[in-house]
Amino acid sequence: MEEINYINALLWYASWPIVIFICYKFIMLNIKHLEENLESKDKNNIA
Amino acid sequence: MENIALIDWSRAQFALTAIYHWFFVPLTLGLSFIVAIMESIYVKTGNVVWKEITKFWMTLFAINFAIGLATGIIMEFEFGTNWSNYSWIVGDIFGAPLAIEGIMAFFMESTFFAVMFFGWDKVSKEMHLFSTWLVAIGSNLSALWILVANGWMQNPIGMVFNPDTARFEMNSFFDVLFNPNAYSKFLHTIGSGYVMGSLFVVGISAWYLLKNKDVVKAKKSIVVGATFGLITSIFLIFTGDESAHEVALNQPSKLAAMEGLYDGHRDVGIVAIGMLNPEKQIGDKKEPFVFEITVPHALSLLGFHDTDAYVPGINQLIYGDPKEGIEPASDKIEKGKIAISALKEYKEAKKADDNATAQKSLVEFRANEKYFGYGYLKDAKDIIPPVALTFYSFHLMVGLGTWFLALFFFVLYFAMVGKLDKQKLILRLAVLSIPLGYLAGEMGWIVAEVGRQPWAIFEMLPVGMATSQLSVIAVQTTFWLFAVTFTALLIAEIKIMITQIKNGMEEH
């Protein structure tokens, strides 16, 4: 019977919420950058 | 006595249900988290544009969720109706994760789905956001338990065979849960769902940009989708590597079919692009490929994390390779037959209260138990899954995954530098990539399930021994009924979605 490496399995399972968190953080960062760009574009258009 | 027509129709019916089910599931897995992140931005910034964006994608999510549920429930019932032998033999193990799925994930998902969809003006912003996140987590937890069950079918551990009941019984729940095939399958599958959800958001938003409609909301959605897609595509490479590593360790016949590898050796390369020789038969001397481009060392490295590792081919798995300690499949079949007959003798002796014979038979059974499933196979060549289907599905899946990674990168790059509106080709490719996402997901499941053949439970129970004793005409009738119903559901979903998309984001 195969020996299960529980720590390894737990680490792999733990990567799921970590990936979601990384996605969330990067999306927040990119959205902030995009909204700044859109705002400055709007200002340029008005000017 | 095996009834080939019954087995094939039962297989076809389950494959049909699974294929249709997988048209709906990946979007649920991915879009649920994308919607939760969009709503988080709304709650954090208070910008109502984000509320409108969230509501738009949430409506599409809800349409998909409702229709996907129907196919999932049918699949679970099919274990009882079409695969009752399977359910009898392994129900003790397989039933546990499915029951947990029903209790934990399904209730959580469904309860908070109602709050998420109908509760915008009835609960606080924070409570609503909490519900949306719980729907996303619940949907993915549903997938966890299903994939724990499927991982066990690929690599059956944490159980013992009870000769008195002729059933497999679980002896370690944690071995089943922490089975390497379970976690690698779970993470790779949800990862593919995240990529599908991202392709959906990016593709539809690209369509809005091409039509010059809801431009600001489309741009914001595209950044969320492409960022989520890019990160999860990278994640998919790691989980795919782990998945392939587990296949190499536990399912050598699947790996050989995935790579069209007939003659194994050390230091094996991976076929990057290739066309199988359609004339090639197992055991002949013909070349396996019409043409191939191989990446040297890669299969040994990816499969066993060692460039010099030995990878057995189809011929070694069938005819054996004493130097590498691989037994011929014919020997395994013989030992399996001994196990079957010893089990029969054990049961008869038990019935006759002949303890001495029962004990002797039990010892013989335990000595050959490992090969029990092989005893039901007729030919050594039966241990190899269909090579062409497994090979092409695997390579198409990998190729499409690579394309999606590149697509997300370019879409995100042009979105961030503010030039995406001008990239008409990329926008068109993003729209066209939506069906490709579904195709890649289906290919992945074909690799997993066709590659597992001839086994229902790997090396334990052949598919032929898992079916219910039904008449072929009954299975044929339900096959066509399901085919018509599922097609109608799919058409309904596509039509409703297209109507919602054409209405635009402003309507919601």
Side-chain angles (χ1 to χ4, degrees):
Chain A
M1 187 69 70
E2 188 181 342
E3 275 292 310
I4 300 293
N5 184 338
Y6 291 106
I7 301 292
N8 194 39
L10 273 171
L11 287 174
W12 272 106
Y13 275 129
S15 70
W16 170 39
I18 292 169
V19 164
I20 298 294
F21 182 72
I22 292 170
C23 287
Y24 172 78
K25 281 290 181 193
F26 272 96
I27 287 169
M28 287 298 198
L29 214 67
N30 286 346
I31 286 297
K32 198 177 156 209
H33 181 75
L34 176 83
E35 291 190 333
E36 281 167 6
N37 272 359
L38 290 174
E39 259 176 47
S40 67
K41 230 180 190 178
D42 276 351
K43 277 179 194 163
N44 287 345
N45 285 345
I46 292 163
Chain B
M1 187 72 187
E2 275 192 13
N3 182 340
I4 300 298
L6 173 67
I7 297 164
D8 284 346
W9 277 100
S10 300
R11 261 189 181 131
Q13 183 169 312
F14 199 80
L16 174 88
T17 317
I19 285 170
Y20 270 96
H21 187 51
W22 200 248
F23 278 129
F24 306 106
V25 178
L27 195 57
T28 300
L29 295 174
L31 202 51
S32 61
F33 273 117
I34 293 177
V35 166
I37 292 172
M38 286 171 167
E39 193 178 340
S40 301
I41 302 174
Y42 160 60
V43 172
K44 204 171 175 186
T45 61
N47 184 346
V48 286
V49 172
W50 279 106
K51 186 179 180 182
E52 287 171 19
I53 292 173
T54 307
K55 279 186 139 182
F56 170 75
W57 294 110
M58 196 176 276
T59 307
L60 298 183
F61 168 79
I63 297 162
N64 183 71
F65 181 86
I67 298 179
L69 212 61
T71 48
I73 290 169
I74 290 168
M75 234 165 105
E76 293 206 11
F77 279 122
E78 280 180 12
F79 286 116
T81 55
N82 294 51
W83 303 96
S84 57
N85 259 359
Y86 167 87
S87 298
W88 158 254
I89 297 168
V90 299
D92 183 67
I93 304 154
F94 198 77
L98 291 195
I100 300 170
E101 187 229 352
I103 295 163
M104 196 170 129
F106 237 111
F107 281 117
M108 182 167 142
E109 206 177 336
S110 310
T111 306
F112 287 97
F113 179 85
V115 180
M116 178 185 90
F117 200 66
F118 301 108
W120 278 103
D121 304 317
K122 296 179 180 70
V123 293
S124 68
K125 267 205 259 183
E126 290 73 20
M127 180 60 204
H128 192 275
L129 177 63
F130 181 64
S131 305
T132 308
W133 275 100
L134 284 187
V135 169
I137 294 166
S139 314
N140 282 258
L141 282 179
S142 265
L144 167 69
W145 296 109
I146 295 287
L147 292 161
V148 163
N150 187 276
W152 182 81
M153 290 167 75
Q154 311 283 347
N155 180 29
I157 53 171
M159 52 45 173
V160 286
F161 185 80
N162 182 342
D164 294 310
T165 57
R167 298 177 73 217
F168 288 100
E169 291 169 2
M170 191 189 290
N171 67 356
S172 169
F173 174 75
F174 289 106
D175 278 7
V176 175
L177 176 60
F178 293 124
N179 181 351
N181 282 62
Y183 66 72
S184 59
K185 213 159 191 358
F186 166 65
L187 295 168
H188 198 57
T189 307
I190 59 166
S192 74
Y194 300 159
V195 169
M196 185 59 239
S198 306
L199 284 171
F200 185 77
V201 171
V202 169
I204 290 168
S205 305
W207 182 80
Y208 281 122
L209 291 183
L210 285 167
K211 296 276 165 194
N212 207 21
K213 193 175 177 182
D214 293 326
V215 172
V216 173
K217 285 175 191 160
K219 278 183 180 172
K220 290 183 180 201
S221 298
I222 234 170
V223 168
V224 175
T227 310
F228 195 72
L230 185 62
I231 296 169
T232 52
S233 290
I234 295 166
F235 180 58
L236 215 51
I237 296 172
F238 290 99
T239 58
D241 173 64
E242 179 63 13
S243 222
H245 176 58
E246 290 309 325
V247 168
L249 293 179
N250 302 313
Q251 297 178 295
S253 52
K254 186 191 278 185
L255 185 74
M258 279 160 70
E259 275 302 302
L261 182 70
Y262 281 83
D263 286 306
H265 50 92
R266 292 190 176 271
D267 190 5
V268 185
I270 217 166
V271 178
I273 301 170
M275 186 184 166
L276 290 168
N277 181 355
E279 309 276 304
K280 173 78 184 164
Q281 298 287 325
I282 291 170
D284 70 15
K285 295 282 175 204
K286 287 180 184 149
E287 282 298 314
F289 287 93
V290 175
F291 79 89
E292 64 190 298
I293 299 170
T294 306
V295 182
H297 320 296
L299 190 61
S300 290
L301 181 66
L302 293 174
F304 298 95
H305 300 161
D306 172 7
T307 50
D308 195 40
Y310 173 80
V311 184
I314 290 166
N315 289 331
Q316 286 71 41
L317 293 167
I318 294 173
Y319 305 111
D321 185 348
K323 276 188 284 174
E324 297 293 339
I326 299 173
E327 263 185 280
S330 53
D331 287 7
K332 293 180 182 175
I333 292 173
E334 279 313 306
K335 287 179 184 173
K337 285 188 172 140
I338 293 170
I340 292 168
S341 114
L343 181 66
K344 199 176 162 201
E345 276 170 29
Y346 169 79
K347 290 183 109 179
E348 281 168 1
K350 274 286 224 186
K351 224 178 194 178
D353 266 339
D354 180 357
N355 281 337
T357 311
Q359 229 15 63
K360 194 176 146 247
S361 306
L362 188 59
V363 170
E364 194 170 24
F365 170 75
R366 291 292 184 207
N368 296 286
E369 185 185 355
K370 197 177 147 194
Y371 305 102
F372 184 66
Y374 280 93
Y376 293 103
L377 298 181
K378 287 191 172 59
D379 192 303
K381 289 176 184 168
D382 290 348
I383 66 159
I384 303 300
V387 177
L389 186 56
T390 314
F391 174 85
Y392 288 118
S393 301
F394 174 64
H395 285 79
L396 191 56
M397 174 191 73
V398 174
L400 287 170
T402 312
W403 158 243
F404 301 148
L405 180 69
L407 178 75
F408 291 133
F409 175 80
F410 287 115
V411 167
L412 189 60
Y413 171 75
F414 286 115
M416 297 316 288
V417 296
K419 289 180 181 166
L420 190 59
D421 331 42
K422 295 183 184 78
Q423 304 298 323
K424 303 288 180 204
L425 178 65
I426 288 186
L427 292 174
R428 283 193 193 102
L429 287 173
V431 178
L432 291 174
S433 294
I434 299 176
L436 296 182
Y438 286 101
L439 183 66
E442 299 289 1
M443 292 298 111
W445 274 110
I446 288 173
V447 174
E449 301 306 293
V450 174
R452 195 191 58 223
Q453 301 302 313
W455 307 101
I457 300 156
F458 198 75
E459 292 189 329
M460 292 275 174
L461 183 74
V463 171
M465 298 307 295
T467 54
S468 305
Q469 292 307 307
L470 297 168
S471 69
V472 179
I473 190 78
V475 186
Q476 284 171 331
T477 309
T478 46
F479 173 89
W480 291 113
L481 277 174
F482 285 146
V484 171
T485 313
F486 294 153
T487 308
L489 281 174
L490 186 64
I491 293 169
E493 156 146 342
I494 294 170
K495 275 195 158 184
I496 299 167
M497 282 220 183
I498 289 174
T499 309
Q500 289 293 328
I501 294 162
K502 279 185 174 167
N503 283 344
M505 294 188 182
E506 301 293 343
E507 297 290 311
H508 304 274

